[in-house]
Amino acid sequence: MTKKNKSLRRCVGCGRSFEVHSLLRVVRTPEQEVMIDFSGKRNGRGAYLCKNINCFERAIRSKGFERTLKCNIPPEIKEVIGKELEK
């Protein structure tokens, strides 16, 4: 019997690796739109964030999203991500 490999991704805030399903994915689509990807399957470049408000704040300060997605993140998207993490 073979074991299935778990997909790991690195949080842009703290830098630790987690399973994909435990992270929040922010994606830059081919149309250059930045949004939260709740399905985890949207086409585009993704940045992963653990569901911790402190990691989110660290990612904003260190520009982790901008570096990973290779674009500027609009303030309204940052606000939406912050509200999602507060839930």
Short mmCIF file of all heavy atoms in Angstrom, two decimals, residues 29-85:
data_model
loop_
_atom_site.label_atom_id
_atom_site.label_comp_id
_atom_site.label_asym_id
_atom_site.label_seq_id
_atom_site.Cartn_x
_atom_site.Cartn_y
_atom_site.Cartn_z
N THR A 29 -4.66 36.37 -11.01
CA THR A 29 -5.13 35.69 -12.21
C THR A 29 -4.35 36.16 -13.44
O THR A 29 -3.66 37.18 -13.38
CB THR A 29 -6.63 35.97 -12.44
OG1 THR A 29 -6.81 37.36 -12.69
CG2 THR A 29 -7.46 35.55 -11.24
N PRO A 30 -4.46 35.44 -14.55
CA PRO A 30 -3.80 35.89 -15.78
C PRO A 30 -4.27 37.27 -16.24
O PRO A 30 -3.56 37.96 -16.96
CB PRO A 30 -4.19 34.81 -16.80
CG PRO A 30 -4.44 33.60 -15.97
CD PRO A 30 -5.04 34.11 -14.69
N GLU A 31 -5.45 37.70 -15.77
CA GLU A 31 -5.96 39.03 -16.11
C GLU A 31 -5.44 40.09 -15.16
O GLU A 31 -5.94 41.22 -15.15
CB GLU A 31 -7.50 39.03 -16.10
CG GLU A 31 -8.13 38.15 -17.14
CD GLU A 31 -8.15 36.67 -16.76
OE1 GLU A 31 -8.19 36.35 -15.55
OE2 GLU A 31 -8.11 35.83 -17.67
N GLN A 32 -4.48 39.73 -14.27
CA GLN A 32 -3.84 40.61 -13.30
C GLN A 32 -4.78 41.05 -12.17
O GLN A 32 -4.56 42.07 -11.54
CB GLN A 32 -3.24 41.85 -13.98
CG GLN A 32 -2.26 41.54 -15.09
CD GLN A 32 -1.09 40.68 -14.62
OE1 GLN A 32 -0.51 40.93 -13.59
NE2 GLN A 32 -0.78 39.65 -15.38
N GLU A 33 -5.82 40.28 -11.91
CA GLU A 33 -6.74 40.55 -10.81
C GLU A 33 -6.29 39.75 -9.59
O GLU A 33 -5.93 38.58 -9.71
CB GLU A 33 -8.16 40.13 -11.21
CG GLU A 33 -9.19 40.46 -10.19
CD GLU A 33 -10.58 40.04 -10.65
OE1 GLU A 33 -10.73 39.47 -11.75
OE2 GLU A 33 -11.51 40.27 -9.88
N VAL A 34 -6.27 40.38 -8.41
CA VAL A 34 -5.87 39.71 -7.18
C VAL A 34 -7.11 39.43 -6.35
O VAL A 34 -7.95 40.31 -6.16
CB VAL A 34 -4.88 40.59 -6.38
CG1 VAL A 34 -4.51 39.92 -5.07
CG2 VAL A 34 -3.64 40.86 -7.20
N MET A 35 -7.25 38.18 -5.88
CA MET A 35 -8.44 37.80 -5.11
C MET A 35 -8.12 36.61 -4.21
O MET A 35 -7.11 35.93 -4.40
CB MET A 35 -9.59 37.44 -6.04
CG MET A 35 -9.31 36.24 -6.93
SD MET A 35 -10.63 35.81 -8.06
CE MET A 35 -10.60 37.22 -9.14
N ILE A 36 -9.02 36.36 -3.25
CA ILE A 36 -8.90 35.17 -2.42
C ILE A 36 -9.46 34.00 -3.22
O ILE A 36 -10.51 34.10 -3.83
CB ILE A 36 -9.69 35.33 -1.10
CG1 ILE A 36 -9.09 36.46 -0.28
CG2 ILE A 36 -9.65 34.03 -0.30
CD1 ILE A 36 -9.86 36.74 1.00
N ASP A 37 -8.74 32.89 -3.21
CA ASP A 37 -9.16 31.69 -3.92
C ASP A 37 -9.62 30.65 -2.89
O ASP A 37 -8.82 29.93 -2.33
CB ASP A 37 -8.01 31.14 -4.75
CG ASP A 37 -8.37 29.90 -5.52
OD1 ASP A 37 -9.57 29.57 -5.61
OD2 ASP A 37 -7.44 29.23 -6.03
N PHE A 38 -10.93 30.62 -2.63
CA PHE A 38 -11.47 29.69 -1.64
C PHE A 38 -11.43 28.25 -2.12
O PHE A 38 -11.29 27.34 -1.32
CB PHE A 38 -12.90 30.09 -1.27
CG PHE A 38 -12.97 31.39 -0.55
CD1 PHE A 38 -13.41 32.53 -1.19
CD2 PHE A 38 -12.56 31.49 0.78
CE1 PHE A 38 -13.47 33.74 -0.53
CE2 PHE A 38 -12.62 32.69 1.45
CZ PHE A 38 -13.07 33.82 0.79
N SER A 39 -11.51 28.04 -3.44
CA SER A 39 -11.50 26.68 -3.98
C SER A 39 -10.09 26.10 -4.04
O SER A 39 -9.91 24.89 -4.03
CB SER A 39 -12.12 26.66 -5.38
OG SER A 39 -11.27 27.30 -6.30
N GLY A 40 -9.09 26.97 -4.14
CA GLY A 40 -7.72 26.51 -4.28
C GLY A 40 -7.38 26.03 -5.68
O GLY A 40 -6.32 25.47 -5.91
N LYS A 41 -8.28 26.24 -6.62
CA LYS A 41 -8.09 25.72 -7.97
C LYS A 41 -8.10 26.79 -9.05
O LYS A 41 -7.98 26.47 -10.23
CB LYS A 41 -9.17 24.69 -8.28
CG LYS A 41 -9.09 23.49 -7.36
CD LYS A 41 -10.16 22.48 -7.65
CE LYS A 41 -10.01 21.33 -6.67
NZ LYS A 41 -10.94 20.26 -6.94
N ARG A 42 -8.25 28.04 -8.65
CA ARG A 42 -8.31 29.12 -9.65
C ARG A 42 -6.97 29.21 -10.37
O ARG A 42 -5.91 29.04 -9.78
CB ARG A 42 -8.64 30.43 -8.97
CG ARG A 42 -8.88 31.56 -9.95
CD ARG A 42 -9.37 32.79 -9.26
NE ARG A 42 -10.74 32.66 -8.81
CZ ARG A 42 -11.81 32.87 -9.57
NH1 ARG A 42 -11.66 33.19 -10.83
NH2 ARG A 42 -13.01 32.75 -9.08
N ASN A 43 -7.04 29.50 -11.64
CA ASN A 43 -5.86 29.60 -12.48
C ASN A 43 -5.09 30.87 -12.13
O ASN A 43 -5.68 31.93 -11.99
CB ASN A 43 -6.29 29.63 -13.95
CG ASN A 43 -5.18 29.24 -14.87
OD1 ASN A 43 -4.15 28.75 -14.44
ND2 ASN A 43 -5.38 29.48 -16.15
N GLY A 44 -3.78 30.77 -11.97
CA GLY A 44 -2.96 31.95 -11.72
C GLY A 44 -1.88 31.67 -10.70
O GLY A 44 -1.69 30.56 -10.23
N ARG A 45 -1.16 32.71 -10.35
CA ARG A 45 -0.04 32.62 -9.41
C ARG A 45 -0.58 32.77 -8.00
O ARG A 45 -1.28 33.73 -7.70
CB ARG A 45 0.97 33.72 -9.73
CG ARG A 45 2.20 33.67 -8.90
CD ARG A 45 3.26 34.61 -9.46
NE ARG A 45 4.50 34.40 -8.75
CZ ARG A 45 5.39 33.50 -9.07
NH1 ARG A 45 5.18 32.72 -10.10
NH2 ARG A 45 6.49 33.36 -8.37
N GLY A 46 -0.23 31.85 -7.11
CA GLY A 46 -0.78 31.85 -5.76
C GLY A 46 0.21 32.17 -4.68
O GLY A 46 1.40 31.89 -4.79
N ALA A 47 -0.30 32.79 -3.62
CA ALA A 47 0.45 33.03 -2.39
C ALA A 47 -0.38 32.44 -1.26
O ALA A 47 -1.60 32.60 -1.23
CB ALA A 47 0.67 34.52 -2.17
N TYR A 48 0.27 31.75 -0.34
CA TYR A 48 -0.44 31.06 0.72
C TYR A 48 -0.17 31.72 2.06
O TYR A 48 0.94 32.20 2.31
CB TYR A 48 -0.01 29.59 0.77
CG TYR A 48 -0.44 28.84 -0.46
CD1 TYR A 48 0.34 28.82 -1.60
CD2 TYR A 48 -1.65 28.16 -0.49
CE1 TYR A 48 -0.06 28.14 -2.73
CE2 TYR A 48 -2.06 27.47 -1.62
CZ TYR A 48 -1.25 27.47 -2.74
OH TYR A 48 -1.65 26.81 -3.86
N LEU A 49 -1.19 31.74 2.91
CA LEU A 49 -1.11 32.38 4.21
C LEU A 49 -1.80 31.51 5.24
O LEU A 49 -2.92 31.05 5.01
CB LEU A 49 -1.81 33.75 4.15
CG LEU A 49 -1.80 34.59 5.40
CD1 LEU A 49 -0.39 35.12 5.66
CD2 LEU A 49 -2.76 35.75 5.25
N CYS A 50 -1.10 31.24 6.37
CA CYS A 50 -1.78 30.48 7.42
C CYS A 50 -2.85 31.38 8.03
O CYS A 50 -2.78 32.60 7.97
CB CYS A 50 -0.81 29.92 8.46
SG CYS A 50 0.30 31.05 9.22
N LYS A 51 -3.86 30.79 8.59
CA LYS A 51 -5.04 31.53 9.05
C LYS A 51 -4.79 32.14 10.43
O LYS A 51 -5.47 31.84 11.39
CB LYS A 51 -6.26 30.62 9.04
CG LYS A 51 -6.58 30.16 7.64
CD LYS A 51 -7.73 29.22 7.57
CE LYS A 51 -7.96 28.78 6.14
NZ LYS A 51 -9.01 27.80 6.01
N ASN A 52 -3.80 33.02 10.47
CA ASN A 52 -3.39 33.68 11.69
C ASN A 52 -3.22 35.16 11.38
O ASN A 52 -2.48 35.52 10.47
CB ASN A 52 -2.06 33.05 12.16
CG ASN A 52 -1.56 33.64 13.45
OD1 ASN A 52 -1.88 34.76 13.81
ND2 ASN A 52 -0.74 32.86 14.13
N ILE A 53 -3.89 36.01 12.14
CA ILE A 53 -3.85 37.45 11.87
C ILE A 53 -2.44 38.00 12.02
O ILE A 53 -2.05 38.92 11.31
CB ILE A 53 -4.88 38.20 12.74
CG1 ILE A 53 -5.08 39.63 12.24
CG2 ILE A 53 -4.47 38.18 14.20
CD1 ILE A 53 -5.87 39.71 10.97
N ASN A 54 -1.63 37.43 12.92
CA ASN A 54 -0.26 37.90 13.10
C ASN A 54 0.58 37.63 11.84
O ASN A 54 1.41 38.46 11.46
CB ASN A 54 0.39 37.25 14.32
CG ASN A 54 -0.27 37.68 15.60
OD1 ASN A 54 -0.76 38.80 15.72
ND2 ASN A 54 -0.31 36.78 16.56
N CYS A 55 0.38 36.48 11.22
CA CYS A 55 1.10 36.16 9.98
C CYS A 55 0.66 37.10 8.85
O CYS A 55 1.48 37.52 8.04
CB CYS A 55 0.86 34.71 9.56
SG CYS A 55 1.86 33.56 10.50
N PHE A 56 -0.60 37.44 8.83
CA PHE A 56 -1.11 38.38 7.82
C PHE A 56 -0.43 39.73 7.98
O PHE A 56 0.05 40.31 7.00
CB PHE A 56 -2.63 38.51 7.94
CG PHE A 56 -3.22 39.60 7.10
CD1 PHE A 56 -3.17 39.53 5.72
CD2 PHE A 56 -3.82 40.69 7.69
CE1 PHE A 56 -3.71 40.53 4.94
CE2 PHE A 56 -4.37 41.69 6.92
CZ PHE A 56 -4.31 41.62 5.54
N GLU A 57 -0.37 40.22 9.21
CA GLU A 57 0.27 41.52 9.47
C GLU A 57 1.75 41.48 9.11
O GLU A 57 2.30 42.43 8.55
CB GLU A 57 0.06 41.92 10.92
CG GLU A 57 -1.39 42.25 11.22
CD GLU A 57 -1.70 42.37 12.70
OE1 GLU A 57 -0.79 42.15 13.54
OE2 GLU A 57 -2.85 42.71 13.01
N ARG A 58 2.42 40.36 9.40
CA ARG A 58 3.83 40.20 9.07
C ARG A 58 4.01 40.18 7.55
O ARG A 58 4.97 40.76 7.03
CB ARG A 58 4.37 38.92 9.68
CG ARG A 58 5.87 38.82 9.58
CD ARG A 58 6.42 37.58 10.24
NE ARG A 58 6.00 37.48 11.63
CZ ARG A 58 5.74 36.34 12.26
NH1 ARG A 58 5.85 35.19 11.63
NH2 ARG A 58 5.38 36.33 13.52
N ALA A 59 3.10 39.51 6.84
CA ALA A 59 3.19 39.45 5.38
C ALA A 59 3.00 40.83 4.76
O ALA A 59 3.65 41.17 3.76
CB ALA A 59 2.15 38.48 4.82
N ILE A 60 2.14 41.66 5.36
CA ILE A 60 1.93 43.02 4.86
C ILE A 60 3.19 43.85 5.10
O ILE A 60 3.67 44.54 4.19
CB ILE A 60 0.71 43.67 5.56
CG1 ILE A 60 -0.57 42.91 5.21
CG2 ILE A 60 0.59 45.15 5.18
CD1 ILE A 60 -0.94 42.89 3.75
N ARG A 61 3.75 43.77 6.31
CA ARG A 61 4.95 44.56 6.64
C ARG A 61 6.15 44.16 5.78
O ARG A 61 6.90 45.02 5.33
CB ARG A 61 5.33 44.39 8.12
CG ARG A 61 4.51 45.21 9.07
CD ARG A 61 5.14 45.22 10.46
NE ARG A 61 5.55 43.92 10.95
CZ ARG A 61 4.80 43.11 11.69
NH1 ARG A 61 3.58 43.46 12.00
NH2 ARG A 61 5.28 41.95 12.11
N SER A 62 6.31 42.87 5.54
CA SER A 62 7.48 42.40 4.79
C SER A 62 7.24 42.36 3.28
O SER A 62 8.14 41.97 2.53
CB SER A 62 7.86 40.99 5.26
OG SER A 62 6.87 40.06 4.88
N LYS A 63 6.04 42.76 2.85
CA LYS A 63 5.64 42.74 1.44
C LYS A 63 5.74 41.34 0.85
O LYS A 63 6.10 41.13 -0.30
CB LYS A 63 6.45 43.74 0.62
CG LYS A 63 6.28 45.17 1.09
CD LYS A 63 6.74 46.14 0.05
CE LYS A 63 6.56 47.56 0.52
NZ LYS A 63 5.21 48.04 0.46
N GLY A 64 5.37 40.33 1.65
CA GLY A 64 5.41 38.94 1.22
C GLY A 64 4.47 38.65 0.06
O GLY A 64 4.80 37.90 -0.85
N PHE A 65 3.27 39.27 0.09
CA PHE A 65 2.31 39.06 -1.01
C PHE A 65 2.86 39.64 -2.30
O PHE A 65 2.80 39.01 -3.35
CB PHE A 65 0.96 39.71 -0.70
CG PHE A 65 0.15 38.98 0.31
CD1 PHE A 65 -0.13 39.55 1.54
CD2 PHE A 65 -0.36 37.72 0.05
CE1 PHE A 65 -0.88 38.88 2.48
CE2 PHE A 65 -1.11 37.04 0.97
CZ PHE A 65 -1.37 37.63 2.19
N GLU A 66 3.38 40.87 -2.23
CA GLU A 66 3.89 41.53 -3.43
C GLU A 66 5.05 40.74 -4.04
O GLU A 66 5.13 40.59 -5.25
CB GLU A 66 4.35 42.96 -3.11
CG GLU A 66 3.22 43.95 -2.91
CD GLU A 66 2.65 43.96 -1.50
OE1 GLU A 66 3.00 43.08 -0.68
OE2 GLU A 66 1.83 44.86 -1.22
N ARG A 67 5.92 40.24 -3.19
CA ARG A 67 7.09 39.49 -3.67
C ARG A 67 6.65 38.16 -4.31
O ARG A 67 7.14 37.79 -5.37
CB ARG A 67 8.03 39.24 -2.49
CG ARG A 67 9.35 38.65 -2.86
CD ARG A 67 10.33 38.59 -1.70
NE ARG A 67 9.78 38.13 -0.44
CZ ARG A 67 9.51 38.91 0.62
NH1 ARG A 67 9.74 40.21 0.56
NH2 ARG A 67 9.02 38.40 1.72
N THR A 68 5.71 37.47 -3.69
CA THR A 68 5.28 36.17 -4.20
C THR A 68 4.41 36.31 -5.45
O THR A 68 4.58 35.56 -6.42
CB THR A 68 4.51 35.41 -3.12
OG1 THR A 68 5.34 35.29 -1.97
CG2 THR A 68 4.11 34.02 -3.60
N LEU A 69 3.48 37.25 -5.44
CA LEU A 69 2.57 37.41 -6.58
C LEU A 69 3.16 38.27 -7.69
O LEU A 69 2.58 38.35 -8.78
CB LEU A 69 1.24 38.01 -6.11
CG LEU A 69 0.45 37.15 -5.13
CD1 LEU A 69 -0.79 37.90 -4.67
CD2 LEU A 69 0.08 35.82 -5.73
N LYS A 70 4.26 38.94 -7.40
CA LYS A 70 4.95 39.80 -8.37
C LYS A 70 4.04 40.91 -8.90
O LYS A 70 4.01 41.20 -10.11
CB LYS A 70 5.51 38.96 -9.53
CG LYS A 70 6.54 37.96 -9.05
CD LYS A 70 7.10 37.14 -10.18
CE LYS A 70 8.12 36.15 -9.62
NZ LYS A 70 8.64 35.28 -10.65
N CYS A 71 3.29 41.52 -7.98
CA CYS A 71 2.45 42.66 -8.32
C CYS A 71 2.08 43.38 -7.03
O CYS A 71 2.27 42.84 -5.94
CB CYS A 71 1.19 42.25 -9.08
SG CYS A 71 -0.02 41.39 -8.07
N ASN A 72 1.57 44.60 -7.14
CA ASN A 72 1.10 45.33 -5.97
C ASN A 72 -0.27 44.82 -5.56
O ASN A 72 -1.10 44.50 -6.42
CB ASN A 72 1.05 46.83 -6.26
CG ASN A 72 2.42 47.43 -6.38
OD1 ASN A 72 3.36 46.99 -5.72
ND2 ASN A 72 2.55 48.44 -7.22
N ILE A 73 -0.50 44.76 -4.26
CA ILE A 73 -1.78 44.30 -3.74
C ILE A 73 -2.62 45.52 -3.39
O ILE A 73 -2.20 46.35 -2.58
CB ILE A 73 -1.58 43.44 -2.47
CG1 ILE A 73 -0.59 42.30 -2.74
CG2 ILE A 73 -2.91 42.89 -1.97
CD1 ILE A 73 -1.01 41.35 -3.80
N PRO A 74 -3.83 45.64 -3.98
CA PRO A 74 -4.69 46.78 -3.67
C PRO A 74 -5.10 46.78 -2.19
O PRO A 74 -5.30 45.70 -1.61
CB PRO A 74 -5.92 46.58 -4.57
CG PRO A 74 -5.48 45.59 -5.60
CD PRO A 74 -4.41 44.77 -4.99
N PRO A 75 -5.24 47.96 -1.58
CA PRO A 75 -5.63 48.03 -0.16
C PRO A 75 -6.96 47.34 0.13
O PRO A 75 -7.12 46.75 1.20
CB PRO A 75 -5.74 49.53 0.11
CG PRO A 75 -4.97 50.19 -0.97
CD PRO A 75 -4.99 49.27 -2.15
N GLU A 76 -7.90 47.37 -0.81
CA GLU A 76 -9.20 46.73 -0.57
C GLU A 76 -9.06 45.21 -0.48
O GLU A 76 -9.80 44.56 0.27
CB GLU A 76 -10.25 47.14 -1.59
CG GLU A 76 -9.88 46.97 -3.02
CD GLU A 76 -9.15 48.15 -3.65
OE1 GLU A 76 -8.83 49.13 -2.96
OE2 GLU A 76 -8.89 48.08 -4.86
N ILE A 77 -8.12 44.62 -1.20
CA ILE A 77 -7.88 43.18 -1.10
C ILE A 77 -7.27 42.84 0.26
O ILE A 77 -7.65 41.86 0.89
CB ILE A 77 -6.96 42.70 -2.25
CG1 ILE A 77 -7.63 42.90 -3.60
CG2 ILE A 77 -6.58 41.24 -2.06
CD1 ILE A 77 -8.92 42.13 -3.80
N LYS A 78 -6.35 43.67 0.73
CA LYS A 78 -5.77 43.46 2.06
C LYS A 78 -6.86 43.52 3.13
O LYS A 78 -6.84 42.75 4.08
CB LYS A 78 -4.69 44.51 2.33
CG LYS A 78 -3.47 44.37 1.46
CD LYS A 78 -2.48 45.47 1.73
CE LYS A 78 -1.31 45.40 0.78
NZ LYS A 78 -0.38 46.53 0.94
N GLU A 79 -7.80 44.44 2.95
CA GLU A 79 -8.91 44.58 3.89
C GLU A 79 -9.79 43.33 3.88
O GLU A 79 -10.18 42.82 4.94
CB GLU A 79 -9.72 45.82 3.52
CG GLU A 79 -10.76 46.21 4.54
CD GLU A 79 -11.45 47.50 4.14
OE1 GLU A 79 -10.75 48.48 3.80
OE2 GLU A 79 -12.69 47.52 4.16
N VAL A 80 -10.08 42.80 2.71
CA VAL A 80 -10.90 41.59 2.59
C VAL A 80 -10.21 40.40 3.24
O VAL A 80 -10.83 39.61 3.94
CB VAL A 80 -11.22 41.29 1.09
CG1 VAL A 80 -11.85 39.93 0.93
CG2 VAL A 80 -12.12 42.37 0.52
N ILE A 81 -8.90 40.28 3.02
CA ILE A 81 -8.14 39.18 3.63
C ILE A 81 -8.17 39.30 5.14
O ILE A 81 -8.39 38.32 5.86
CB ILE A 81 -6.69 39.14 3.11
CG1 ILE A 81 -6.67 38.86 1.61
CG2 ILE A 81 -5.88 38.11 3.86
CD1 ILE A 81 -5.31 39.08 0.97
N GLY A 82 -7.97 40.51 5.66
CA GLY A 82 -8.01 40.73 7.10
C GLY A 82 -9.36 40.38 7.71
O GLY A 82 -9.43 39.73 8.75
N LYS A 83 -10.44 40.74 7.03
CA LYS A 83 -11.78 40.40 7.52
C LYS A 83 -12.02 38.90 7.49
O LYS A 83 -12.65 38.34 8.37
CB LYS A 83 -12.85 41.12 6.69
CG LYS A 83 -12.93 42.60 6.98
CD LYS A 83 -13.99 43.27 6.15
CE LYS A 83 -14.02 44.76 6.43
NZ LYS A 83 -15.00 45.46 5.58
N GLU A 84 -11.50 38.23 6.45
CA GLU A 84 -11.65 36.77 6.34
C GLU A 84 -10.93 36.07 7.48
O GLU A 84 -11.43 35.08 8.04
CB GLU A 84 -11.11 36.29 5.00
CG GLU A 84 -11.26 34.83 4.74
CD GLU A 84 -12.71 34.39 4.65
OE1 GLU A 84 -13.57 35.16 4.20
OE2 GLU A 84 -12.97 33.24 5.05
N LEU A 85 -9.78 36.57 7.88
CA LEU A 85 -9.02 35.95 8.96
C LEU A 85 -9.65 36.21 10.32
O LEU A 85 -9.44 35.43 11.26
CB LEU A 85 -7.58 36.46 8.94
CG LEU A 85 -6.75 36.01 7.75
CD1 LEU A 85 -5.39 36.67 7.78
CD2 LEU A 85 -6.60 34.50 7.74
#
